[in-house]
Amino acid sequence: IRRDANPIPPVEVKDAACRDVIIRGKDVDVCELATPMIHEGDGGRYLTWSIDVTKDPDTGWVNWGTYRFMIHNKQYLSGWPFPLSHAGKMLREKYLPFNKPMPIAIVMGADPASHLAATATTRIGRDEASLAGGLAGHPIEIARCLDSDLTFPACAEVVLEGEILPDRIANE
């Protein structure tokens, strides 16, 4: 049996492992995260192997993808979801034309099935949380972000909540 062909819907829970420590506003310093310099010549340290959660404002579809974001300074990351990716397409079609920031949750340290589901090449509209459940063989617990209605794997160690700003560009 192919596990990816048998999705299991997630179960929403109220608590999440990452909420043991909550840092907000000016106290956030992404430079404190354990992030490597991957390649010689890179412009900085990158958040990698993250689950990047975005949501279609029209359909409500929640996308889990994997994109890279470089630490630009203590409060900002720079990156650009590939234009043909699901998040890139959503950003270009649903947020940028209206000059609206796109909410994003960058999730690190979740379960393997959730990370695999985020990297899967799948169709727009497919629920990656249900795909993760199918891969794991049981429902994945998800929690709601504190500052948006995005959901993420509740077992995650770190969740950065923020926005992709339509009017800001930085080298990446």
Side-chain angles (χ1 to χ4, degrees):
I1 296 176
R2 289 186 55 114
R3 289 184 180 201
D4 63 334
N6 296 293
I8 299 173
V11 175
E12 189 168 332
V13 297
K14 296 211 179 287
D15 202 14
C18 63
R19 293 198 180 127
D20 288 347
V21 176
I22 297 173
I23 303 169
R24 296 183 119 151
K26 299 286 185 205
D27 294 330
V28 171
D29 184 352
V30 295
C31 296
E32 295 290 323
L33 296 171
T35 52
M37 178 73 97
I38 304 289
H39 300 100
E40 185 177 326
D42 275 351
R45 298 172 14 220
Y46 286 90
L47 302 178
T48 58
W49 195 239
S50 59
I51 299 170
D52 305 312
V53 183
T54 56
K55 186 174 184 176
D56 185 308
D58 298 329
T59 67
W61 171 57
V62 175
N63 172 242
W64 288 5
T66 300
Y67 311 100
R68 71 182 209 166
F69 291 92
M70 186 182 84
I71 294 177
H72 187 67
N73 63 40
K74 67 183 262 179
Q75 293 277 309
Y76 293 94
L77 304 173
S78 61
W80 182 256
F82 182 67
L84 298 178
S85 70
H86 295 161
K89 188 171 171 49
M90 194 184 304
L91 177 65
R92 282 190 355 267
E93 294 176 4
K94 307 281 179 120
Y95 291 92
L96 293 181
F98 305 101
N99 200 35
K100 289 175 39 180
M102 182 168 77
I104 187 168
I106 300 173
V107 179
M108 295 170 276
D111 60 287
S114 293
H115 280 281
L116 288 172
T119 65
T121 302
T122 187
R123 64 177 167 74
I124 288 178
R126 184 169 189 198
D127 179 23
E128 280 100 351
S130 294
L131 172 59
L135 293 174
H138 58 80
I140 297 297
E141 291 185 341
I142 59 172
R144 200 157 295 280
C145 286
L146 297 175
D147 295 322
S148 74
D149 65 348
L150 299 175
T151 54
F152 61 90
C155 63
E157 294 177 19
V158 175
V159 177
L160 299 175
E161 295 185 41
E163 298 174 321
I164 296 177
L165 304 173
D167 60 346
R168 300 275 175 94
I169 296 175
N171 289 330
E172 184 260 322

